[in-house]
Amino acid sequence: MSGAAAALETLLGGPETAWLLSRVRRRILRREGAAGEPLTGVVRLNDPTPEQRAAAWRLVGRPRRAGDSVRVDLAVVEEILRRGPWPAGLADAVETLTGPIIDHAAERDRERAAWDAARDALLPAARRFPGLGPWWEQWCGAGGLKRAAAAEAARAPGPGGAGTVTGPAVGERLASDAAAVLDLLPAGGEPLAVLARRALGDAHGLDSARPLGRLVAGIVRAAFSPETAEDLSARDVWARAGVVLSTVASTALCLGVAGFDPADVGGAGELGGVSAVPAPRAATAAALEAMRAARMPLVLTLEQVRSGGVRPVPRAGVIHVCENPTVVEVVADRWARAPHDGPAGGVASGPVLVCTSGQPSTAVVDLLAALTAEGAAVRYHGDFDWAGLRIARSLARHVPWLPWRFEAGDYRAALSGPVPSLPLTGSPAESPWDPGLARAMAELGLAVEEEAVAQELAADVLAGVLGGRPAPVSGRRASGQESGTGIEEEAEVDF
């Protein structure tokens, strides 16, 4: 310890002057003058101990008349310190002896202002999207940006290690990066990794495992799907912004889908071959035809679906759509064991089944769009649970469909079967194609997985191959009637 520090400790560092240092700390926090200016004013201690009285007198001198309290003139203390052991003054001496003096209220104000600036970093880009600004402010107000910043700071700490870069600075960087992405939207079918590279210089910057990726996905959901965000998968949300998560990761499981006939465009070429047909289209068509002839399921990537190799189902045909891959397995197995009467032949000679595998991917939606291009009907079945109803509604926003064993009566019939049912859990959902279905599910409180009726569904899909009658088409009825028939027309579900 230096001589000056030892003198300061002797003068002000004892327990008998602790009260004085405490009063000075409070005075420093309250003062209006600039930092470094001498402190002024008088502090008083009532009923001091003999030691406290003696210390005060030793510091500023004995008063002419002693009383029940001691008074210390801070200007006198300032002069003593500045001329003697501590030229930096009383405030610096107090901080040296007791530690830094932090104005917590001012710190809170500064931090609040910094978070406001971080929040505002997104607003210029958000102005193009009605409703996004209020959503963003509400989300930030609920602590969303602070939580994202904390997660990002833990994921990618600064040079000094974990926690060295935290708070508003990280939040502002996240908001600025999100704004950079938003400025490039909507895109034109661009893969997410390519968008991330363009906007952020990091192809993995928008991965769902990263806080920024989750943050931007929420922003895109609010910007492009504010009314229907609850039912949309991440793939659907990005698709509405013109972004595909991956042209190979987005897939569609199908059975019996026909490949485009190269003869339809004429000319011979290299891939079976037609020179006028692009290789991806010809390859996709060949794969579809080979798997259809083998009566085996096939998983198509989004790139294959968009290659042009998928042949539409004729207007009189039907496309069955299920939610779970097990149904495809059951149908494929029964179809494979059915008599083969020759090659697959035309599109109408076998079943066409597409599986959403849960929430429909972009590949599933695009595949159904290609299959229905000539007006074929789509019949849909899913799980009898709340998630299943939401998936059905999500698909209907892209592709109109007719319910396939997917109404209240079908639900009650499935419950009467030998397969045990599970308790219905989660938040309720609506069934616009048959409001009675949601009511029945809420009343009975049981879920029926699609696998429980897989055999019945397989019989419907293969009715034209194995014989027998398919299930009658059920669903909403249109208000009009066919002239002279008295038979109501069936309306596709489109909501």
Side-chain angles (χ1 to χ4, degrees):
M1 182 182 296
S2 67
L8 180 64
E9 182 71 27
T10 301
L11 194 61
L12 290 174
E16 64 276 4
T17 56
W19 71 273
L20 176 60
L21 300 185
S22 176
R23 302 283 183 87
V24 172
R25 286 180 69 89
R26 290 201 296 268
R27 183 70 63 94
I28 292 171
L29 286 173
R30 293 199 306 267
R31 71 179 178 182
E32 299 178 357
E37 289 185 356
L39 292 170
T40 59
V42 175
V43 294
R44 182 192 305 270
L45 176 65
N46 294 321
D47 299 319
T49 65
E51 292 79 11
Q52 289 172 327
R53 188 186 300 273
W57 291 352
R58 188 168 59 248
L59 180 62
V60 296
R62 184 177 184 130
R64 282 177 288 181
R65 187 174 58 186
D68 294 334
S69 63
V70 294
R71 299 172 69 254
V72 176
D73 189 329
L74 298 183
V76 173
V77 179
E78 280 277 12
E79 185 176 0
I80 292 170
L81 291 173
R82 289 178 184 270
R83 289 184 176 181
W86 211 257
L90 178 57
D92 186 77
V94 170
E95 289 201 61
T96 300
L97 292 169
T98 63
I101 298 174
I102 300 173
D103 187 343
H104 293 288
E107 283 289 311
R108 286 193 294 270
D109 290 341
R110 282 192 291 270
E111 185 174 17
R112 189 179 301 112
W115 278 115
D116 288 346
R119 176 202 63 206
D120 294 347
L122 183 77
L123 295 181
R127 292 193 184 102
R128 292 191 297 122
F129 303 92
L132 178 57
W135 175 89
W136 172 248
E137 292 191 10
Q138 181 180 6
W139 186 80
C140 291
L145 184 56
K146 291 181 179 179
R147 290 189 294 272
E152 176 64 15
R155 184 195 73 84
T164 59
V165 181
T166 59
V170 179
E172 186 166 5
R173 188 174 72 237
L174 289 175
S176 297
D177 286 346
V181 175
L182 207 55
D183 283 338
L184 300 179
L185 299 178
E190 189 173 34
L192 182 64
V194 175
L195 173 68
R197 179 68 184 174
R198 278 207 301 142
L200 309 170
D202 179 359
H204 295 284
L206 295 176
D207 287 359
S208 61
R210 295 193 181 183
L212 177 61
R214 297 191 293 273
L215 168 62
V216 175
I219 292 171
V220 170
R221 185 182 294 267
F224 290 89
S225 320
E227 302 301 325
T228 58
E230 176 189 356
D231 296 336
L232 293 182
S233 67
R235 287 175 301 206
D236 282 338
V237 170
W238 279 111
R240 291 196 172 195
V243 179
V244 294
L245 295 191
S246 171
T247 57
V248 293
S250 179
T251 60
L253 173 63
C254 60
L255 176 69
V257 173
F260 212 102
D261 188 352
D264 291 345
V265 293
E270 43 182 290
L271 253 172
V274 181
S275 59
V277 179
R281 180 182 185 185
T284 300
L288 285 168
E289 284 300 301
M291 298 301 280
R292 189 166 73 102
R295 301 184 175 185
M296 295 178 66
L298 178 65
V299 176
L300 294 173
T301 67
L302 178 59
E303 190 172 22
Q304 290 173 308
V305 170
R306 291 178 173 177
S307 70
V310 176
R311 196 190 321 183
V313 175
R315 182 176 182 83
V318 173
I319 303 151
H320 287 90
V321 181
C322 62
E323 180 186 337
N324 295 279
T326 298
V327 177
V328 179
E329 293 182 60
V330 172
V331 174
D333 179 66
R334 291 183 60 171
W335 190 24
R337 289 187 283 107
H340 284 253
D341 297 325
V347 180
S349 65
V352 177
L353 177 62
V354 176
C355 180
T356 66
S357 300
Q359 281 285 358
S361 66
T362 303
V364 167
V365 171
D366 282 14
L367 176 59
L368 290 174
L371 291 172
T372 58
E374 294 181 2
V378 174
R379 301 181 67 186
Y380 179 78
H381 187 280
D383 288 331
F384 286 113
D385 58 20
W386 300 130
L389 301 192
R390 291 189 176 91
I391 290 170
R393 291 171 57 194
S394 176
L395 179 64
R397 277 190 286 272
H398 301 287
V399 181
W401 51 262
L402 302 169
W404 167 32
R405 294 186 185 267
F406 206 43
E407 287 196 304
D410 304 307
Y411 169 66
R412 294 180 186 275
L415 285 177
S416 66
V419 180
S421 298
L422 300 173
L424 194 58
T425 60
S427 57
E430 297 178 350
S431 53
W433 61 94
D434 177 19
L437 171 58
R439 289 196 296 268
M441 290 170 60
E443 173 192 344
L444 298 175
L446 294 172
V448 180
E449 295 171 319
E450 195 173 35
E451 290 84 350
V453 293
Q455 295 296 338
E456 291 89 339
L457 298 177
D460 292 342
V461 176
L462 296 172
V465 177
L466 305 179
R469 293 173 57 84
V473 177
S474 58
R476 293 190 310 180
R477 299 287 179 177
S479 58
Q481 294 184 335
E482 293 184 5
S483 176
T485 65
I487 300 175
E488 292 179 324
E489 295 179 344
E490 186 68 41
E492 290 180 322
V493 179
D494 186 8
F495 44 87

